[in-house]
Amino acid sequence: MKFTIDEATALLLIDLQKGFEDINYWGGGRNNANVEENASKILNVWREKGLPVFHIQHCSTTPNSPLAPGNVGNEFLEITQPIKDEPIIKKKVNSAFIGTDLRQQLDDMRVEKLVIVGLTTDHCISTTTRMAGNFGYQTYLIEDATATFDKVGVNGEKFSAQLIHDTALASLHGEFAWVIKTKELIDRMF
């Protein structure tokens, strides 16, 4: 895989919100403890280079969800807080493309490549990545800048966050996106 980061490459920061700090609410265990720091490193490089940045905010329609508008959990994390003219895309479902103007904004900016970071690997990250690939964007998903939580299976068995994360990435890699690490991404930018 050969790629370059240029003005046609946008960064999507998905659901980096305070509501995901409550690990017990989401399943009890989480992988990739450094997701927020890695996302922040990438964001800082993007800002330094003047490349397009989009902040995706999940606005749950379930009133008691930590991610519902009006709840503190709906707010962005300080470490990846939007600044000045960086667009905020508010979504109500898993995909950042459904019910939003994200695709129109990307196309208006002539974006051809996407770099995706955020939460959670098997939900909003996976859904958005699949749609990005289907829309024809050259998409890069950053393995150590995304994470998920433990899940309980249909038969009551518990699956670790790392297993869920790994299988979600395996399903995406090479078909909808290229999965790489933060260091590889940043090294290719200089």
Side-chain angles (χ1 to χ4, degrees), residues 96-141:
F97 291 102
I98 294 177
T100 74
D101 68 345
L102 176 61
R103 185 174 184 202
Q104 185 64 52
Q105 288 193 51
L106 293 170
D107 290 350
D108 288 350
M109 296 175 77
R110 296 186 177 3
V111 167
E112 299 171 356
K113 296 175 263 187
L114 297 177
V115 171
I116 297 177
V117 303
L119 300 166
T120 62
T121 315
D122 53 323
H123 290 130
C124 298
I125 297 296
S126 179
T127 307
T128 300
T129 299
R130 288 170 186 271
M131 287 193 73
N134 284 335
F135 283 142
Y137 296 105
Q138 188 176 349
T139 305
Y140 302 93
L141 178 53

Side-chain angles (χ1 to χ4, degrees), residues 6-154:
D6 54 31
E7 64 279 348
T9 311
L11 174 64
L12 302 185
L13 296 111
I14 298 179
D15 302 350
L16 289 166
Q17 294 166 251
K18 293 179 181 178
F20 284 116
E21 294 176 321
D22 183 356
I23 292 173
N24 288 329
Y25 180 87
W26 300 103
R30 190 188 112 162
N31 71 316
N32 279 350
N34 296 323
V35 163
E36 294 82 1
E37 291 79 11
N38 287 334
S40 179
K41 284 179 195 173
I42 295 167
L43 175 59
N44 289 335
V45 171
W46 240 255
R47 287 173 174 163
E48 287 171 15
K49 301 271 187 195
L51 297 172
V53 172
F54 289 83
H55 297 268
I56 313 301
Q57 182 179 31
H58 193 88
C59 297
S60 177
T61 57
T62 305
N64 63 342
S65 167
L67 302 176
N71 291 341
V72 173
N74 183 256
E75 297 173 11
F76 289 106
L77 297 169
E78 298 297 325
I79 194 169
T80 53
Q81 186 82 21
I83 59 171
K84 25 181 179 166
D85 297 326
E86 293 174 349
I88 297 171
I89 305 293
K90 295 177 183 279
K91 65 180 179 61
K92 295 180 182 177
V93 296
N94 298 101
S95 175
F97 291 102
I98 294 177
T100 74
D101 68 345
L102 176 61
R103 185 174 184 202
Q104 185 64 52
Q105 288 193 51
L106 293 170
D107 290 350
D108 288 350
M109 296 175 77
R110 296 186 177 3
V111 167
E112 299 171 356
K113 296 175 263 187
L114 297 177
V115 171
I116 297 177
V117 303
L119 300 166
T120 62
T121 315
D122 53 323
H123 290 130
C124 298
I125 297 296
S126 179
T127 307
T128 300
T129 299
R130 288 170 186 271
M131 287 193 73
N134 284 335
F135 283 142
Y137 296 105
Q138 188 176 349
T139 305
Y140 302 93
L141 178 53
I142 312 306
E143 183 273 332
D144 56 352
T146 185
T148 194
F149 300 91
D150 292 348
K151 299 288 186 293
V152 176
V154 294

